[in-house]
Amino acid sequence: MESVQQLAQKLKQNIANVIVGKEHEVDLLLTALLASGHVLLEDVPGTGKTLLAKSLAASLSLSFQRIQFTPDLLPSDLTGIHFFNQKDGEFHFRPGPLFARIVLADEINRATPRTQSSLLECMEERQISIEGKTMPLASPFMVMATQNPVDNQGTFPLPEAQMDRFLIRMKLGYPSASEGVEILKRTAAAGSLRAEEAGQTATAEEVLEAQKLCGQVQITDDLMGYIVALAEATRNHDETMLGISPRGTQALLRAVQAYAALHGRSYVLPDDIKELLLPVWTHRLVLRKRHEAGNGHAERILTGIMDSIPVPSEKELESGVK
């Protein structure tokens, strides 16, 4: 897994040329990339969500499209249209921005639910259906979406089905005092922080090879049982209407394998599961009191479940490896 770790280190160093701090958030972003997943960046405006997504895209030699979501955006603006060419008298297809390999859906919750739903098929099936014809998307394919808090003006909450398509949801938060000073220093020296300064360091072939290697990371049966036990606890919790589905357990499995490879390991540790449980599962829980979903209540539920379920012992894990 050294090659995966080296690729991740190159990408992190590149992104650090633009993004100040946020090492953990960058690790989560690269975990989603290596696990062939999608990321939802959620926070108040001005915290660097778009800059982080564009910096990753600039570090990869992959086609990139940024879509600014607005209330008047139509599904055809994303998928593409058939237009009539008067020269040859035939209809031709003009592909939309979703045919890029890296797609940044900026402020996704400002679009109407109909437009939001046009992302469902491409995110899960890696294909787009237009007028009865299905067209596959090139690999690797990744959607990075940003959204403002739901209580902001002019926002439409994402439905549970679409939230479930994102492998990881994370919040950037405000920088520390020292990071804030560094941001101002860079701004004063360069005028502005530009994602293009990151430079390209990885090819599509390298990313695909790293994704294959992540699938070979070992995880014992006891750790798989630990993941299932955590999921069952969410389904039986008094405060949840819908717990973690089998798709959610599969998402956590892929994420911890990629996270282990990111750190140069060919095996998963219990700490990997604990580290990624909240970013992968928080947005998948449906609470009975839905108004509490945005104030950290889901995080408290998952943290309590982790504290109540024992982690497999070292002897059990060793026997599983043998």
Side-chain angles (χ1 to χ4, degrees):
M1 298 299 162
E2 292 181 3
S3 61
V4 180
Q5 187 180 27
Q6 291 173 359
L7 174 64
Q9 288 296 334
K10 288 193 300 181
L11 290 172
K12 285 195 284 188
Q13 292 172 3
N14 232 25
I15 295 173
N17 294 331
V18 180
I19 300 296
V20 178
K22 308 299 179 187
E23 290 84 1
H24 177 63
E25 287 75 13
V26 173
D27 278 350
L28 292 178
L29 194 61
L30 296 180
T31 297
L33 174 67
L34 295 176
S36 303
H38 310 289
V39 176
L40 180 62
L41 300 168
E42 185 179 32
D43 218 319
V44 296
T47 51
K49 303 185 299 293
T50 302
L51 185 62
L52 176 59
K54 291 178 67 176
S55 300
L56 174 62
S59 301
L60 303 170
S61 56
L62 302 173
S63 56
F64 169 72
Q65 287 286 347
R66 177 181 180 271
I67 310 169
Q68 181 64 51
F69 278 64
T70 56
D72 60 348
L73 194 72
L74 299 175
S76 59
D77 295 329
L78 305 180
T79 58
I81 60 171
H82 285 89
F83 69 98
F84 183 74
N85 191 329
Q86 293 183 348
K87 289 184 178 181
D88 56 18
E90 295 182 357
F91 281 92
H92 296 271
F93 178 68
R94 179 182 296 160
L98 288 183
F99 283 88
R101 293 192 175 186
I102 303 292
V103 176
L104 171 58
D106 214 357
E107 295 185 309
I108 186 175
N109 59 337
R110 290 201 179 278
T112 59
R114 180 186 177 190
T115 303
Q116 292 175 4
S117 65
S118 62
L119 287 172
L120 291 178
E121 182 182 15
C122 72
M123 292 175 67
E124 183 66 20
E125 307 295 336
R126 301 300 201 275
Q127 65 184 26
I128 293 178
S129 298
I130 302 175
E131 297 182 4
K133 183 179 179 181
T134 300
M135 291 170 277
L137 298 173
S139 295
F141 174 74
M142 181 180 185
V143 173
M144 293 180 287
T146 69
Q147 76 167 352
N148 297 326
V150 175
D151 55 352
N152 279 24
Q153 293 183 357
T155 58
F156 299 87
L158 296 180
E160 289 84 0
Q162 187 166 339
M163 292 289 287
D164 198 39
R165 297 305 196 276
F166 288 100
L167 179 70
I168 288 175
R169 183 184 72 169
M170 60 181 178
K171 298 182 179 181
L172 294 185
Y174 289 112
S176 64
S178 59
E179 292 172 348
V181 172
E182 179 63 24
I183 291 173
L184 294 180
K185 286 182 179 179
R186 294 189 184 186
T187 303
S192 63
L193 298 177
R194 297 172 56 87
E196 292 76 10
E197 296 175 3
Q200 296 179 352
T201 59
T203 64
E205 290 73 20
E206 289 177 315
V207 174
L208 289 173
E209 181 62 26
Q211 290 176 345
K212 291 180 182 178
L213 290 173
C214 290
Q216 300 174 11
V217 173
Q218 293 183 345
I219 178 169
T220 65
D221 292 345
D222 293 296
L223 283 182
M224 289 186 186
Y226 179 56
I227 293 176
V228 172
L230 291 169
E232 289 181 343
T234 65
R235 300 164 191 166
N236 299 324
H237 200 279
D238 295 336
E239 298 180 67
T240 60
M241 182 181 298
L242 294 176
I244 300 301
S245 66
R247 180 191 291 159
T249 59
Q250 291 172 326
L252 183 59
L253 172 63
R254 299 199 327 266
V256 295
Q257 285 179 311
Y259 191 77
L262 189 71
H263 293 82
R265 286 184 277 105
S266 60
Y267 53 90
V268 174
L269 296 175
D271 288 342
D272 298 332
I273 298 175
K274 290 187 173 183
E275 185 70 29
L276 292 179
L277 189 74
L278 295 184
V280 177
W281 278 6
T282 300
H283 58 288
R284 301 173 192 271
L285 284 183
V286 179
L287 306 182
R288 293 190 182 277
K289 299 179 181 179
R290 299 201 176 202
H291 64 278
E292 295 182 339
N295 59 7
H297 198 62
E299 288 87 343
R300 290 193 291 272
I301 291 176
L302 289 175
T303 301
I305 289 175
M306 275 195 294
D307 294 339
S308 63
I309 296 180
V311 179
S313 66
E314 186 174 348
K315 290 184 179 179
E316 291 173 334
L317 297 178
E318 289 178 352
S319 63
V321 173
K322 293 178 182 179

